[in-house]
Amino acid sequence: NAYLNVAKTIALISFPLMMGVMVLASPFVLMAFGEKWQPVILLIMVLAPVGLIQSIETTVGSIYSAKGRTDLMFYWGVGAGLFVIMAFIVGLQWGIVGVATAYAIASFSLSYLNFSIPFQLIDLKFSQLLGVLWKPFMNSLIMFVVIIGFKAILPATFSYTTELDLSIALGISVYGIANWLNNKKQLNELWVLVGFGRIK
């Protein structure tokens, strides 16, 4: 229960952040660094989903430590690391974007084992994790789709700064409303955690 509470709190924050980074990579890069950094946009879009899943994956280290099985964590780390290196080698054929894509594919391919191995130490099922993550994910996805639609109707004359500011404001509003409507319990838990009190 303690682990699931931590995971869902992290998801409530990291999922919309990573989806926001993915959908707003273009105006952010062009505003902050200029047109010459345009190739970076695709890299950010490829790696943002990896950041989303890894924000939860990094928490499993506490399970290994709590159960005194850091040896198992080491063996898993070596095996997973070798798999990722092989993915890098394959991706090199398509340049830096190929490496980033191969890394993303490798990361998602390893996700189930990354969770299921330590979960066996505390009798936790992968489906239980999905049960606390699906609402933050769906609400983040709603935000993602709304921002895409909003960007599509924005006048081309708007600056990158204006596009970014309006999109961020809209995204925060949509995500907040979505959670208030169908995920109020988790939202309250986060609000209490940061010291704002409960939402009525």
Side-chain angles (χ1 to χ4, degrees):
N1 286 337
Y3 176 81
L4 291 176
N5 284 333
V6 170
K8 68 184 180 183
T9 301
I10 292 173
L12 201 60
I13 300 171
S14 65
F15 282 13
L17 282 176
M18 290 300 100
M19 286 200 185
V21 166
M22 185 178 179
V23 73
L24 296 177
S26 179
F28 171 73
V29 170
L30 296 175
M31 178 203 72
F33 305 107
E35 298 285 343
K36 64 181 181 180
W37 284 88
Q38 193 164 359
V40 175
I41 295 172
L42 183 57
L43 292 178
I44 293 175
M45 294 176 69
V46 169
L47 294 176
V50 179
L52 183 149
I53 189 65
Q54 287 188 349
S55 68
I56 306 300
E57 286 181 342
T58 55
T59 60
V60 299
S62 60
I63 297 177
Y64 288 112
S65 298
K67 300 298 291 185
R69 294 305 309 270
T70 52
D71 59 325
L72 191 59
M73 180 171 64
F74 171 75
Y75 297 138
W76 167 250
V78 171
L82 290 174
F83 184 77
V84 170
I85 290 172
M86 288 189 291
F88 283 162
I89 294 172
V90 173
L92 279 171
Q93 301 179 60
W94 295 276
I96 189 171
V97 174
V99 171
T101 303
Y103 177 63
I105 294 172
S107 296
F108 279 95
S109 299
L110 293 169
S111 290
Y112 177 75
L113 287 176
N114 188 75
F115 288 113
S116 62
I117 293 174
F119 281 5
Q120 292 178 18
L121 301 176
I122 56 173
D123 297 321
L124 180 65
K125 295 180 180 179
F126 186 67
S127 59
Q128 290 176 272
L129 176 65
L130 296 180
V132 301
L133 297 184
W134 76 271
K135 283 186 178 180
F137 178 79
M138 290 305 300
N139 291 335
S140 299
L141 188 61
I142 291 170
M143 178 202 74
F144 181 87
V145 172
V146 169
I147 293 177
I148 288 178
F150 178 69
K151 289 176 62 181
I153 63 174
L154 274 180
T157 54
F158 277 24
S159 67
Y160 297 128
T161 302
T162 301
E163 178 184 351
L164 192 62
D165 290 344
L166 292 176
S167 297
I168 290 174
L170 176 63
I172 292 173
S173 300
V174 169
Y175 184 68
I177 293 171
N179 276 287
W180 186 80
L181 291 175
N182 64 27
N183 196 22
K184 198 171 182 178
K185 182 180 178 181
Q186 285 190 21
L187 193 62
N188 265 318
E189 290 172 355
L190 176 62
W191 235 236
V192 171
L193 183 66
V194 298
F196 289 132
R198 297 187 67 82
I199 301 172
K200 297 180 180 180

